[in-house]
Amino acid sequence: MSEITVPAMGESITEGTIYKWHVQEGDAVNQGDVLLELETDKVNLEISAEESGVVEKILRKDGETVQIGEVIGRLAAGGEAAAAASAAPAKEEPKAEEKAAPAAPAAPSVPAEPAKEGETYLAASPAARKLAREQGIDLEQVNRDPKGRIYQENVRNHAEAPAPRPAAAAPAAQTAAPAVTGQPGKPAERQRMSRRRATIAKRLVEAQHTAAMLTTFNEVDMTAIMDIRKRRKDAFKDKHDIGLGFMSFFTKAVVGALKQFPLLNAEIDGEDIIVKKYYDIGIAVAAKEGLVVPVVREADRLSFADIEKEIASLASKARSNTLALSELQGGTFTITNGGTFGSLMSTPILNAPQVGILGMHKIQLRPVAIDAERSENRPMMYIALSYDHRIVDGSDAVRFLVTVKELLEDPESLLLEG
């Protein structure tokens, strides 16, 4: 018998929520099979079987909050043979053997383990559990043998009995959803926040309460970048097998500006300022469960193609819930692109403990004065910099954003500054 426990998950994570069990009691599993998915504040993690055997007991259900190291289930070791045996329900045992089932030597697979306080332990054989699931039978209602065990014959006898089973409906009434509040007579629905959404809400409020956050704005003429992309996109794609997007230009521009204004690449630690001499740029990605910010490491050392590939890889992982915790930790500055969804202007919230975040927005044709007599329609983008005024002065914030603008409007300079 081995225990299924919640593994340690690193930096500051002490608990998680069981998102979904992928197995049921009585299921046979092999070493490495995924048992359940655990939702944490940052990512969803899969917990796999450390050995082959049979799932004897699931102690914590979907949606329950569990602590690091907590036992959430038990696995009866049985090796590959146990998996094969429980996966073959077609074989019927001789009736004589069925009658002798309570005294059969197979009893170790259903040990009469003492129940914990408030918990009823069901010592049922894998075949019994499988048959109960197939026929929709609650094992709590099935008669046991004198030693408290449940075998396939017990489940079969229960299925053939004409007794009604009203008790099965009782738990549903006990676990009814809380009453929906709102204006009486108006339709409404109560939804529980996912762990990640609740964490996002908490941290955004904390960022606003703990930082002296201000936002400054500017706009960028995207003509030069769009011209480069138009001329180079096919050759770039052929050579690097990745498209030339906007994010590599913005990442390079941010790195160049951070080198000139290092306090925007810092964080506050008590009464100290930690100025970081490396450039790990977080790229905000909208995933199904909420916003995540995977990090492009050492962006100053990467080429345009390397940045595009890394961002594409991280975004794909974010949307498939396969990001590792290490890919979300330790960013020094963040870029978020609300323009993907059509945002024309916004004030991004800091990703604490970082002290700066750049917001990109929708590219829109607007008339721009070329000189006193001429104007042209140009592809323009508003950009926003939110910063922590505790250590970043307004003049530095404004000049940082102007530097980003100038680097983007003269893309060739990115090769020197970025």
Side-chain angles (χ1 to χ4, degrees):
M1 176 77 68
S2 63
E3 295 178 332
I4 304 169
T5 61
V6 180
M9 293 173 282
E11 183 179 298
S12 72
I13 296 179
T14 60
E15 63 180 21
T17 299
I18 296 177
Y19 182 74
K20 182 180 180 182
W21 278 96
H22 293 285
V23 295
Q24 301 181 52
E25 292 179 355
D27 283 355
V29 296
N30 291 321
Q31 183 179 13
D33 287 351
V34 175
L35 300 176
L36 70 149
E37 191 173 349
L38 190 71
E39 183 183 30
T40 73
D41 297 346
K42 297 180 178 180
V43 294
N44 284 22
L45 300 175
E46 293 180 341
I47 297 179
S48 302
E50 295 184 358
E51 58 182 280
S52 300
V54 175
V55 179
E56 280 290 331
K57 187 68 176 176
I58 292 177
L59 300 176
R60 304 300 296 271
K61 308 301 181 185
D62 291 358
E64 291 191 40
T65 298
V66 293
Q67 306 297 316
I68 302 302
E70 181 177 347
V71 178
I72 56 177
R74 298 192 184 95
L75 190 68
E80 300 282 343
S86 64
K91 293 184 179 180
E92 288 287 338
E93 298 176 356
K95 290 197 173 182
E97 189 175 335
E98 286 179 3
K99 292 179 181 178
S109 64
V110 285
E113 185 172 323
K116 294 183 179 179
E117 184 178 353
E119 173 192 330
T120 302
Y121 182 78
L122 291 176
S125 70
R129 294 184 187 277
K130 184 174 181 63
L131 181 60
R133 287 199 308 274
E134 291 173 349
Q135 302 207 11
I137 295 174
D138 183 358
L139 284 174
E140 291 280 2
Q141 309 302 319
V142 177
N143 291 329
R144 297 162 173 75
D145 74 356
K147 293 185 177 181
R149 301 186 180 97
I150 301 174
Y151 290 89
Q152 194 174 32
E153 182 181 14
N154 302 108
V155 178
R156 194 177 290 116
N157 290 340
H158 182 85
E160 295 171 355
R165 298 163 54 205
Q174 296 171 4
T175 59
V180 175
T181 59
Q183 189 172 345
K186 299 291 186 180
E189 178 183 358
R190 180 184 292 269
Q191 295 183 353
R192 185 176 180 84
M193 281 189 185
S194 68
R195 168 171 290 275
R196 190 178 304 166
R197 175 58 60 191
T199 301
I200 290 171
K202 178 182 176 183
R203 290 182 177 173
L204 291 179
V205 171
E206 286 178 351
Q208 289 185 311
H209 285 175
T210 58
M213 191 172 70
L214 292 178
T215 304
T216 184
F217 301 91
N218 212 312
E219 63 178 347
V220 178
D221 185 344
M222 300 291 289
T223 301
I225 289 178
M226 295 183 76
D227 180 60
I228 289 176
R229 292 181 70 235
K230 183 177 180 180
R231 289 186 289 107
R232 300 284 186 176
K233 65 179 182 179
D234 291 338
F236 190 90
K237 176 80 171 179
D238 291 341
K239 182 176 181 179
H240 301 291
D241 197 29
I242 188 74
L244 178 59
F246 293 110
M247 291 305 301
S248 53
F249 289 93
F250 276 82
T251 301
K252 286 286 188 182
V254 161
V255 169
L258 288 175
K259 289 180 177 180
Q260 295 185 41
F261 301 93
L263 284 181
L264 278 149
N265 201 50
E267 69 175 78
I268 299 175
D269 183 17
E271 295 185 354
D272 297 330
I273 298 173
I274 301 174
V275 181
K276 299 168 185 176
K277 304 295 186 179
Y278 56 93
Y279 305 91
D280 290 350
I281 307 301
I283 306 296
V285 178
K288 182 180 178 181
E289 294 296 325
L291 189 74
V292 291
V293 187
V295 179
V296 177
R297 306 288 176 188
E298 297 186 332
D300 57 318
R301 299 171 180 264
L302 301 180
S303 67
F304 280 75
D306 292 334
I307 292 173
E308 293 291 351
K309 289 178 180 178
E310 184 67 6
I311 291 175
S313 173
L314 292 171
S316 176
K317 290 180 181 180
R319 295 183 181 110
S320 61
N321 261 333
T322 56
L323 280 170
L325 286 173
S326 60
E327 293 172 314
L328 292 165
Q329 297 169 349
T332 63
F333 187 94
T334 294
I335 302 174
T336 181
N337 185 5
T340 302
F341 306 101
S343 173
L344 190 61
M345 185 175 289
S346 66
T347 56
I349 297 178
L350 292 173
N351 182 21
Q354 298 169 22
V355 297
I357 180 172
L358 179 76
M360 300 166 56
H361 299 92
K362 180 181 179 181
I363 298 173
Q364 191 175 57
L365 282 175
R366 290 197 289 273
V368 175
I370 304 302
D371 53 36
E373 297 180 353
R374 296 178 302 138
S375 65
E376 292 181 3
N377 287 332
R378 295 286 184 92
M380 305 297 293
M381 176 193 288
Y382 290 121
I383 55 176
L385 172 71
S386 291
Y387 60 98
D388 192 340
H389 206 355
R390 290 180 297 172
I391 64 170
V392 180
D393 291 335
S395 60
D396 283 351
V398 170
R399 288 186 293 156
F400 173 92
L401 203 57
V402 169
T403 300
V404 170
K405 167 188 170 69
E406 290 173 347
L407 290 171
L408 291 170
E409 291 181 344
D410 180 17
E412 293 179 0
S413 63
L414 295 177
L415 298 174
L416 302 175
E417 299 292 340

